[in-house]
Amino acid sequence: MPDNIFGDRHPIVVDLGFGDAGKGATVDWLCSPAAGLDVAAVVRFNGGAQAAHNVVVGEVHHTFSQFGSGTLSGIATFLSAHMLVEPIALAGEARDLAALGVADPLGLLAVDAAALLTTPIHVAANRAREDARGAARHGSCGKGIGETAGYALEHDAPTVGDCRHPDLLAAKLTALAAHYAGLLAGSPHRYPALDAMVEMYREFAGTVEIVGPGYLRSLAGRGRLMFEGAQGVLLDEWRGLHPHTTWSTVEPSHARAMLAEIGQHGYVLGVTRSYLTRHGAGPFPTEDPALGALLPEPHNGTGAYQGAFRVGAFDPLLLRYAIAACGGVDGLAVTHLDALDRAPLRAAVGYRTAAGPLTGVDCGPWRDLGYQRRLTDLLATADPVLGPVPASVEGFLGYVERALGSPVVLGADGPDRADRAVRALAVAA
């Protein structure tokens, strides 16, 4: 990869849509020998076990959840304090990676002691709460993320570091179970005995490297860091379309702050498909089932809690909103360019709304959920005005640069690692 793309900065890979744009596959390629970036570790800076980052390398396919998407290249993963760590799912993912030929996956892992612990109690509560919403479901993945984050706002929540202290962890789990007893009464969702959980977490603490302050600085001394985001900016807890959001800061402020603490700088790489997708409930102005029928999704299906996988036209209005929510991006990665040959792609040039015609979506005050709810209500009934896009890859990438005001530096015209390249190669293809 040419040195002038990232220079000495650390890439921060974020999804500018509702998720599923190709962050994992992008991180996998950037961590591969072909990119030549000398990556020391992938740093996960938001989300938890609900992530589903699909990576394809030849005949090998893995959906990364908590491990960083550079694992197939033997790159270490650091789960930062901003992660919500679910050890049971993590152990299962380690077994899957070992079956794919990754030697000692847990040996590639370090976890910040301050990271919150997602337990089976959180998962059961999440599913019970979503069940109770009925037709008004938020589109949760059912992985306990919202309950983990929400409980920690007002209680002494269990952390990864507590796994080294069984008595302390037992007390915290007892309090957690008591807190959710009412919600779970009569629910079909259950969790293991508390003693069994404490023992399991004790074993987890003895298996993985649990680290404290200063670890990120030591990692940066070994080589480049690759920050891998989860979900999409349009699902951000403060900037997403409330209440159909995640309990996680998706935009890159946490990654930027982590780098600033060690005197380093990041390069924010925003990822988008050549069209938009949304997995689950919530506003999606350009949704087009007919387009979805032409662009089948091999790795994303209907989830029991998340709902259906939805497809729609490219939407510069929402993508510019996401870029603003990020405080700007340094470059773009555009994936699924092969869709240009498989479907008549279009793009939104505006919306017809109850408030009148719109050609842009403004960011409101940070942490103003009232504004986000009004924006959700407005976009729920917005009617998109669609226009054509250039049919060639070169023309389309030029259009994206003009529409979003940022350079396209990477492109992908298929799901495989081999289908990814720096922009010059992508255009030539």
Side-chain angles (χ1 to χ4, degrees), residues 143-237:
K143 302 287 188 178
I145 303 303
E147 302 300 337
T148 304
Y151 180 83
L153 293 176
E154 298 181 354
H155 302 85
D156 187 12
T159 67
V160 169
D162 295 335
C163 295
R164 300 176 295 191
H165 307 287
D167 290 344
L168 174 60
L169 181 60
K172 288 189 176 185
L173 291 178
T174 299
L176 180 68
H179 175 79
Y180 283 118
L183 176 63
L184 292 174
S187 165
H189 303 292
R190 296 290 182 264
Y191 52 83
L194 298 188
D195 287 348
M197 281 195 281
V198 169
E199 177 59 22
M200 179 199 63
Y201 291 135
R202 186 191 64 78
E203 293 178 2
F204 167 73
T207 303
V208 302
E209 183 181 9
I210 298 177
V211 301
Y215 186 75
L216 187 71
R217 186 183 299 276
S218 69
L219 272 184
R222 303 175 199 172
R224 194 185 301 267
L225 304 177
M226 185 69 59
F227 286 79
E228 180 177 1
Q231 293 79 57
V233 174
L234 297 179
L235 298 177
D236 182 89
E237 60 182 334

Side-chain angles (χ1 to χ4, degrees), residues 126-142 188-189 241-245 278-283 302-308 310 373:
N126 176 192
R127 295 177 179 182
R129 196 181 302 279
E130 194 74 346
D131 288 346
R133 292 183 177 122
R137 285 185 174 191
H138 290 177
S140 168
C141 294
H189 303 292
L241 300 181
H242 184 73
H244 306 285
T245 56
R278 178 159 199 167
H279 205 163
T302 298
Y305 285 90
Q306 196 171 13
R310 303 151 66 192
R373 185 59 189 253

Side-chain angles (χ1 to χ4, degrees), residues 35-209:
L37 290 178
D38 186 30
V39 176
V42 172
V43 181
R44 296 291 305 276
F45 65 90
N46 77 294
Q50 87 276 43
H53 297 176
N54 287 289
V55 170
V56 177
V57 184
E59 297 300 315
V60 174
H61 167 249
H62 180 71
T63 302
F64 283 93
S65 178
Q66 294 178 85
F67 277 86
S69 294
T71 304
L72 295 181
S73 292
I75 303 299
T77 296
F78 175 40
L79 304 183
S80 74
H82 300 294
M83 277 286 290
L84 311 179
V85 178
E86 209 282 65
I88 299 173
L90 194 60
E93 186 173 4
R95 288 192 294 271
D96 291 342
L97 287 166
L100 293 176
V102 177
D104 187 19
L106 291 175
L108 294 172
L109 188 69
V111 188
D112 196 304
L116 291 173
L117 198 65
T118 294
T119 73
I121 303 172
H122 295 107
V123 175
N126 176 192
R127 295 177 179 182
R129 196 181 302 279
E130 194 74 346
D131 288 346
R133 292 183 177 122
R137 285 185 174 191
H138 290 177
S140 168
C141 294
K143 302 287 188 178
I145 303 303
E147 302 300 337
T148 304
Y151 180 83
L153 293 176
E154 298 181 354
H155 302 85
D156 187 12
T159 67
V160 169
D162 295 335
C163 295
R164 300 176 295 191
H165 307 287
D167 290 344
L168 174 60
L169 181 60
K172 288 189 176 185
L173 291 178
T174 299
L176 180 68
H179 175 79
Y180 283 118
L183 176 63
L184 292 174
S187 165
H189 303 292
R190 296 290 182 264
Y191 52 83
L194 298 188
D195 287 348
M197 281 195 281
V198 169
E199 177 59 22
M200 179 199 63
Y201 291 135
R202 186 191 64 78
E203 293 178 2
F204 167 73
T207 303
V208 302
E209 183 181 9

Side-chain angles (χ1 to χ4, degrees), residues 299-382:
H299 300 133
N300 288 295
T302 298
Y305 285 90
Q306 196 171 13
F309 190 82
R310 303 151 66 192
V311 173
F314 191 78
D315 193 340
L317 284 74
L318 284 182
L319 293 172
R320 287 195 297 266
Y321 170 88
I323 289 171
C326 289
V329 300
D330 298 292
L332 299 167
V334 182
T335 67
H336 295 76
L337 291 169
D338 53 313
L340 290 163
D341 295 327
R342 297 191 287 125
L345 299 187
R346 295 186 293 171
V349 296
Y351 302 144
R352 290 181 286 263
T353 77
L358 292 180
T359 57
V361 180
D362 294 329
C363 278
W366 188 50
R367 292 193 172 189
D368 185 345
L369 293 183
Y371 177 89
Q372 297 307 122
R373 185 59 189 253
R374 292 190 295 274
L375 183 60
T376 297
D377 293 342
L378 181 67
L379 295 182
T381 57

